[in-house]
Amino acid sequence: MPQHTTPAQPPASDEYILRTTDEELIRLGFQHRVWAAAAYTGWERAGIGPGSRVIDLGAGPGYATIDLAHLVGPSGAVIAVDESRKFLDHLERRLEVEPVSNVTTQHARADAFTATPGSFDAVYARWLMSFLSDPAVVARRVFDALRPGGVFIIQDYSQYKGTGLWPESAAFRSIIDAVSESWRAHLGDPDVCASLPALLADAGFEIAHATPMVRTGRPGSAVWGWPEAFFRSFCPVLVEEGRLSPETLDQFWKDWTERSGTPHAVFTTPPMTELIAVKQR
């Protein structure tokens, strides 16, 4: 059964930019499956294995948490930290039927989670740092939680506007621009990995690995379906915010439908980077 902790500091808001709806729960599950191989590769590269103690920071509904729990085994432990009570409730329901007993949940913001200093082997943060207004605060808190030689594994965006669709679509480009604009208006950074190496060095880390993460998808593939799920979920929010006109959204769906029936069409994911930073002794 999952263990629970009292929030270290009650989150000021239970919302993040992409909302915490049931639709988003489903989308995040699909997203995890699309990127699961990259997650496992990063964990292996970082040395996570049986017996490891890991924090899944910004765990959301815990799709990676469950995989990590199986990976580290009964002799290891995983803490899932998220600011959304709804997401953690979803994870805790899953833990009632999953054959693992090594997961603890913590309802806290990424900049306010609690952990015994120097007690963790790894902290994993996927698509977290780009949503933060002050990633440096989180980096310092992670540094304190890790043992000497412990690793901070980050998988996040490095150049969001590098997302591609061929044949080109002006409406598609407008949506990518609107997403980036909305992201920054909510005090995030869709290109965060460009600034993280210097920030991590200031916090006391040394970058051991920096690996690009980009996938391409053709119509009918899971990679093609990944952005479509996001557009259906988030484009209405962009219209609500006044960053995207209904006419541009309608044109986009016409373009996307046409590309989806074009055998030579290609989608390239937003450029991401995996950073593995080691806490210096």
Side-chain angles (χ1 to χ4, degrees):
M1 294 290 290
Q3 301 176 21
H4 317 292
T5 61
T6 302
Q9 180 177 337
S13 171
D14 200 41
E15 285 291 312
Y16 83 126
I17 184 175
L18 302 182
R19 313 285 174 93
T20 56
T21 61
D22 290 341
E23 183 181 20
E24 180 66 0
L25 276 170
I26 295 170
R27 189 194 72 81
L28 288 173
F30 178 56
Q31 175 173 265
H32 176 65
R33 290 189 291 275
V34 171
W35 290 96
Y40 271 94
T41 298
W43 299 339
E44 183 178 31
R45 187 180 289 123
I48 296 176
S52 294
R53 292 179 50 81
V54 183
I55 297 173
D56 186 5
L57 191 58
Y63 298 110
T65 303
I66 298 292
D67 288 353
L68 282 165
H70 286 287
L71 180 61
V72 304
S75 60
V78 181
I79 295 182
V81 177
D82 202 83
E83 68 176 0
S84 169
R85 184 65 259 173
K86 179 173 181 174
F87 280 169
L88 291 180
D89 286 345
H90 175 84
L91 170 58
E92 288 162 7
R93 287 193 296 271
R94 286 195 63 198
L95 289 170
E96 291 175 356
V97 296
E98 285 284 341
V100 295
S101 58
N102 57 351
V103 176
T104 300
T105 62
Q106 187 178 136
H107 185 207
R109 296 193 309 268
D111 61 1
F113 74 93
T114 60
T116 302
S119 61
F120 286 87
D121 302 299
V123 174
Y124 177 60
R126 180 174 60 178
W127 299 306
L128 168 71
M129 304 296 274
S130 56
F131 289 102
L132 304 175
S133 59
D134 192 352
V137 173
V138 174
R140 291 193 294 270
R141 189 168 288 266
V142 168
F143 184 89
D144 291 341
L146 290 171
R147 62 168 175 77
V151 292
F152 188 11
I153 307 114
I154 297 168
Q155 294 179 331
D156 219 316
Y157 295 109
S158 49
Q159 189 182 25
Y160 192 81
K161 289 189 177 183
T163 312
L165 176 65
W166 304 299
E168 289 280 1
S169 161
F172 171 83
R173 188 53 52 196
S174 294
I175 285 176
I176 297 302
D177 290 345
V179 171
S180 183
E181 178 185 321
S182 177
W183 209 320
R184 294 187 187 281
H186 286 84
L187 303 182
D189 181 359
D191 308 327
V192 71
C193 280
S195 60
L196 285 182
L199 182 153
L200 291 166
D202 287 344
F205 289 97
E206 179 179 321
I207 303 295
H209 297 278
T211 307
M213 297 173 61
V214 178
R215 297 194 65 185
T216 60
R218 306 291 292 278
S221 69
V223 173
W224 186 272
W226 176 56
E228 181 173 338
F230 170 74
F231 295 143
R232 293 196 183 281
S233 174
F234 193 57
C235 282
V237 177
L238 296 174
V239 173
E240 286 177 19
E241 292 181 347
R243 304 183 194 280
L244 187 70
S245 72
E247 294 77 17
T248 300
L249 181 55
D250 287 344
Q251 183 59 53
F252 163 73
W253 284 120
K254 290 176 183 177
D255 291 350
W256 185 261
T257 300
E258 189 275 332
R259 272 50 167 194
S260 296
T262 302
H264 60 265
V266 176
F267 169 78
T268 63
T269 64
M272 295 171 56
T273 302
E274 175 188 275
L275 297 171
I276 299 179
V278 180
K279 176 177 178 176
Q280 296 304 289
R281 298 181 183 277

